[in-house]
Amino acid sequence: MRISSKLVGVGVLALMTGCSSIPQLSSLSSLNPFSSKSKTDQPAPLVELKGTMAVRTAWKLDIGKAGSYQFSPALAGNTVVVAASDGDIARVEAESGKLLWRTKAGSQLSSGVGTDGNLIVVGGAKGTVLAFDMDGKKLWSTQLSSELLSSPVVGQGVVVARSLDNRIVGLDAKTGEKKWTVQRSSPALTLRTAPGMIINNTDVVIAQPAGRLSSFILATGAPRWDVEVGVARGATELERVTDIGGAPVLFEGDVCAVSYQGRVACFDAAAGSAKWTRDLSSEVGVAVDQRFVFVPDDKGALYAFNRDTGSNAWKNDKLAFRRLSTPVSYGRAVAVGDYQGYVHFLSREDGAFLARAATDGSPIVGTPLVAGSHLIFQTQNGTVAAIAVE
């Protein structure tokens, strides 16, 4: 059945029962786009490029495999912090790739990294939040109710973590002591993905199951606003899955997000009022810059929408079914990874191909990062690659 096989390739369905034990219907390690045997769903071949923009790999670091989880690099000043499922955590200089330190968390990790430049936090596979100082020294760990898939975030002296049972907890950044807890209900069927969180001044904005985006006050956990990104449609629970898979993005007072089988939308970050929405289905997140919102759909087409109005600026469908990552905007290009570890550079103005870079041949699933003059990508096999645009 095409829908179920597509969802296996997407990321993983979990049956939500309202308790901390959640039966897993398939494995997140099933990132193979060939899970669907339909000829029309086969990944598009790579097009030959004329090389209108020069890119090079500035440095690489092997941090370790992500396993069945998803890890994204985090920026801390002029350094990058990365982690892997076996518990390795490292901090490197963004420009040179020089290793500043590497340490072991002491347990398997399932999410990371979050940092405010003063504290580093990661999520343990058994439901623990672990905190380290900027020199890699472990400071504290706190046990939560279930597994963590989303990277914790840090802001205003509070660490916010969300466990798989959709329990959101605010922890004291100095001690790890619980300050507040919010329990949100989940639909019967959800994607087993890593919906993200972002700090917005004194608030935290959190992507929720069922396509919702919520803002909470960091100090107390009190709700600020709650909006609908995706609208559930269809007669069956499978057809009505509208989860937000990637992290929302904050840019100049706007917060933008996209949901699976739902919509891409931008809202006023202070009030939650909608600026615009467009129907679109995506399993990953958006990129936002001064002019555009970039998002790949679940068939591998990359779209650019006008940030102010939501009007469609361009579409490139030449990467169909290549399992695209969350994109990143940099200079005159927008870059996006795929299931073979390629990074594709497209013109932000019209979507034309500009360049391509290879990593290690494994999928790029995590959210890429702009770090100074480099774009940082982390693959499922554990390569952290800094790509320079020249």
Side-chain angles (χ1 to χ4, degrees):
M1 180 171 124
R2 183 180 175 191
I3 291 179
S4 62
S5 64
K6 174 65 178 172
L7 285 174
V8 169
V10 167
V12 182
L13 284 171
L15 188 61
M16 305 295 288
T17 63
C19 62
S20 60
S21 176
I22 302 174
Q24 182 173 300
L25 300 185
S26 55
S27 170
L28 189 58
S29 62
S30 178
L31 294 163
N32 186 351
F34 298 101
S35 59
S36 171
K37 300 300 182 181
S38 170
K39 291 183 179 180
T40 60
D41 288 1
Q42 296 303 304
L46 297 179
V47 299
E48 185 176 351
L49 299 183
K50 297 179 181 179
T52 57
M53 186 175 73
V55 299
R56 64 178 177 85
T57 301
W59 54 262
K60 287 184 177 181
L61 170 74
D62 183 9
I63 186 59
K65 293 184 178 181
S68 59
Y69 299 105
Q70 175 180 315
F71 291 86
S72 300
L75 187 65
N78 60 356
T79 67
V80 176
V81 185
V82 291
S85 64
D86 66 357
D88 270 19
I89 305 170
R91 187 182 180 197
V92 300
E93 291 183 353
E95 188 64 26
S96 65
K98 177 184 177 182
L99 182 65
L100 300 177
W101 52 260
R102 186 168 185 150
T103 189
K104 287 280 190 182
S107 63
Q108 185 183 22
L109 300 180
S110 56
S111 67
V113 176
T115 181
D116 63 349
N118 298 303
L119 187 74
I120 295 166
V121 286
V122 293
K126 295 184 178 181
T128 55
V129 179
L130 300 98
F132 300 80
D133 68 15
M134 299 310 293
D135 294 320
K137 178 184 177 183
K138 186 175 179 180
L139 299 176
W140 52 260
S141 65
T142 299
Q143 182 67 44
L144 300 189
S145 56
S146 62
E147 184 181 30
L148 281 77
L149 297 182
S150 301
S151 298
V153 292
V154 191
Q156 302 291 318
V158 178
V159 174
V160 181
R162 188 250 308 282
S163 49
L164 191 58
D165 56 4
N166 207 30
R167 186 169 295 174
I168 304 161
V169 178
L171 308 172
D172 185 283
K174 292 182 178 180
T175 65
E177 182 181 352
K178 293 181 183 179
K179 295 171 65 72
W180 51 263
T181 301
V182 175
Q183 176 71 66
R184 287 297 178 98
S185 60
S186 295
L189 206 59
T190 71
L191 291 177
R192 181 181 162 86
T193 58
M197 303 178 280
I198 53 171
I199 299 296
N200 177 25
N201 297 320
T202 59
D203 295 354
V204 57
V205 180
I206 301 178
Q208 300 275 358
R212 304 198 71 84
L213 199 62
S214 304
S215 180
F216 301 91
I217 298 171
L218 276 167
T220 63
R224 179 81 70 182
W225 49 257
D226 182 81
V227 296
E228 203 172 43
V229 177
V231 178
R233 303 182 180 94
T236 69
E237 293 290 348
L238 199 61
E239 292 171 330
R240 294 174 65 81
V241 172
T242 57
D243 296 345
I244 298 174
V249 174
L250 183 70
F251 192 91
E252 293 181 349
D254 293 342
V255 60
C256 303
V258 64
S259 68
Y260 179 70
Q261 298 186 145
R263 302 181 301 188
V264 56
C266 285
F267 304 86
D268 179 89
S273 54
K275 295 189 65 175
W276 55 264
T277 64
R278 293 290 181 271
D279 288 344
L280 191 137
S281 175
S282 181
E283 306 124 25
V284 297
V286 302
V288 184
D289 64 20
Q290 289 87 350
R291 293 183 57 196
F292 300 112
V293 175
F294 304 99
V295 57
D297 71 10
D298 56 4
K299 294 180 175 59
L302 184 64
Y303 289 81
F305 297 95
N306 184 289
R307 186 169 68 90
D308 292 328
T309 65
S311 59
N312 196 344
W314 53 260
K315 171 187 175 182
N316 184 316
D317 60 3
K318 304 304 182 183
L319 298 171
F321 299 104
R322 294 194 65 85
R323 306 268 322 126
L324 301 184
S325 72
T326 297
V328 59
S329 176
Y330 182 79
R332 65 186 181 101
V334 55
V336 64
D338 73 10
Y339 80 100
Q340 288 185 317
Y342 287 107
V343 179
H344 307 271
F345 291 82
L346 291 74
S347 167
R348 68 187 288 269
E349 299 298 326
D350 60 15
F353 287 110
L354 299 176
R356 182 185 303 129
T359 54
D360 65 2
S362 69
I364 296 171
V365 179
T367 302
L369 178 71
V370 176
S373 60
H374 296 154
L375 303 182
I376 312 295
F377 290 81
Q378 184 170 347
T379 73
Q380 286 300 101
N381 276 355
T383 296
V384 181
I387 300 175
V389 178
E390 301 179 335

